Amino acid sequence: MTKLALGAHPFLLGFDQLERLVERTAKSGNDSYPPFNIEQASDHAFRITLAVAGFAEEDLSITVEDRQLIVRGRQSDDQSDRIFLHRGIASRQFQKAFVLADGVDVAGAKTENGLLHIDLKRSVPDTIVQTIEINKS
């Protein structure tokens, strides 16, 4: 049986980037740290919440690169004078990526009680009806 590429289907003209998007999403991995929630706030708004206890605002960065929302966390290691008898709280760096659909933009971000909230909004495009004239030859 021959594998049919998604972008090669005759009814999906111009969707070849969708296949690359699926591959990129699959490569982002299943790393579960830090844990996160995705909520639908309204018909056109979403919120991603990451548990970032122990990270200060300056330890976190949020960027959008090529329709991919990337959240990075890196704690400064200024604890050289501390001696731990037990260390059970994770203090590792992380990178979490979310692929954004066209028309979805970051509306804002804030930290609250050890949680990082990233608000997303989807702009609703205007419906445009276009009539194509048929030229006579």
Side-chain angles (χ1 to χ4, degrees):
M1 180 189 260
T2 305
K3 178 184 172 193
L4 181 62
L6 181 66
H9 193 280
F11 297 127
L12 297 175
L13 300 175
F15 282 87
D16 50 326
Q17 291 190 31
L18 184 60
E19 187 170 16
R20 287 192 293 268
L21 178 69
V22 171
E23 289 174 3
R24 186 172 69 180
T25 303
K27 287 180 185 177
S28 67
N30 267 349
D31 189 15
S32 61
Y33 180 79
F36 65 95
N37 293 335
I38 300 175
E39 306 169 58
Q40 185 167 358
S42 70
D43 287 343
H44 303 292
F46 307 93
R47 173 175 270 186
I48 299 172
T49 302
L50 290 96
V52 292
F55 286 87
E57 285 184 28
E58 56 269 8
D59 297 334
L60 301 168
S61 72
I62 304 169
T63 57
V64 177
E65 303 169 15
D66 192 27
R67 303 304 309 156
Q68 192 167 27
L69 173 69
I70 300 174
V71 182
R72 293 181 179 95
R74 173 174 288 165
Q75 290 179 319
S76 57
D77 194 18
D78 60 350
Q79 306 163 1
S80 58
D81 60 338
R82 297 170 69 182
I83 299 172
F84 290 94
L85 300 178
H86 172 76
R87 190 167 188 170
I89 300 173
S91 62
R92 60 183 175 179
Q93 63 184 10
F94 69 87
Q95 177 174 311
K96 193 66 102 172
F98 302 91
V99 178
L100 301 178
D102 287 336
V104 174
D105 296 308
V106 178
K110 67 178 181 177
T111 57
E112 178 182 42
N113 300 326
L115 300 172
L116 172 63
H117 301 290
I118 304 169
D119 293 316
L120 307 172
K121 64 177 178 177
R122 177 178 32 207
S123 57
V124 181
D126 295 332
T127 303
I128 299 173
V129 177
Q130 183 179 9
T131 303
I132 309 299
E133 290 186 31
I134 302 173
N135 295 323
K136 298 179 182 176
S137 22

